Amino acid sequence: MSAVSRAPQRSNRATGVCDTGARAARVRPPRARASRRAALTAGAAVAALLLTACGSGGTSGGGGNTNFVTGTDGISTAAKGERAAAPELSGKTLEGEHLDVADFQGKVVVLNMWGSWCNPCRAEAKYFAKVSKDYADQDVQFVGINTRDSTTGAALAFEKDFGVTYPSLYDPTGKLMLRFEKGTLNPQAIPSTLILDRDGGIAARSLTALSEERLLKMLEPVLAEK
């Protein structure tokens, strides 16, 4: 009897066939193994980032090299001159159009990470819709980053229900969120809201749903900067 025929068989329940030892011994090319490891690593990172989705969020202290402080209201801020730059954030919107957040440099940008499946996102949506319209002529641009919606249909329905008229980048796997440097005012929950100053620096962050009052508390000091 050959070595192959003596090898134990393993049942493959998914396909209803058996794998012989010879089949099991096939070795993936190094490039294939590396690609698979990279995909698994990226997937695990996204899952870890979004683990706190729709929770109460969290806060990071301003010690060490973080250069930001977190107030008792949960809003974290970084002083002008000590702000981390926002990463490159571009791609297709929910409507299929190209959008690059860098094109809004010179304006104060409100970045809101949300999903149609997220109840806290639904609670704050009407305030974002209102403030975005109230400040449309004051060099303020709202941009959403929609995540974990497997299709755009539910997200577009969400925007229609709450009167959201500003664009949202479609980021179903959370890759855009992972571009933010750790240890900075990076998004860590759904919802998260960031305020970018006119130079593209991250000036403020909230990791919980916002009322109109708390949203304006984040926005207005940055808008008043010269």
Side-chain angles (χ1 to χ4, degrees), residues 95-205:
E95 292 79 13
E97 300 176 357
H98 180 77
L99 185 148
D100 189 339
V101 173
D103 291 341
F104 301 121
Q105 192 159 337
K107 294 185 176 183
V108 174
V109 177
V110 180
L111 280 176
N112 179 240
M113 290 69 176
W114 65 279
S116 67
W117 42 269
C118 168
N119 285 332
C121 300
R122 303 181 73 84
E124 70 177 6
K126 61 183 178 182
Y127 305 121
F128 280 78
K130 180 180 184 299
V131 175
S132 69
K133 294 170 184 174
D134 291 346
Y135 284 75
D137 60 350
Q138 299 187 43
D139 287 332
V140 176
Q141 176 64 51
F142 278 65
V143 177
I145 297 181
N146 171 261
T147 190
R148 289 184 65 189
D149 275 311
S150 58
T151 65
T152 61
L156 289 168
F158 177 103
E159 290 187 332
K160 183 178 179 180
D161 288 344
F162 292 100
V164 174
T165 56
Y166 54 84
S168 280
L169 288 164
Y170 183 47
D171 185 31
T173 60
K175 290 182 179 179
L176 292 179
M177 296 175 66
L178 287 174
R179 292 181 182 177
F180 289 84
E181 184 180 353
K182 292 182 178 179
T184 66
L185 291 177
N186 57 316
Q188 298 175 6
I190 305 298
S192 287
T193 300
L194 308 181
I195 307 292
L196 308 186
D197 63 24
R198 291 179 176 86
D199 297 320
I202 307 172
R205 176 189 69 183

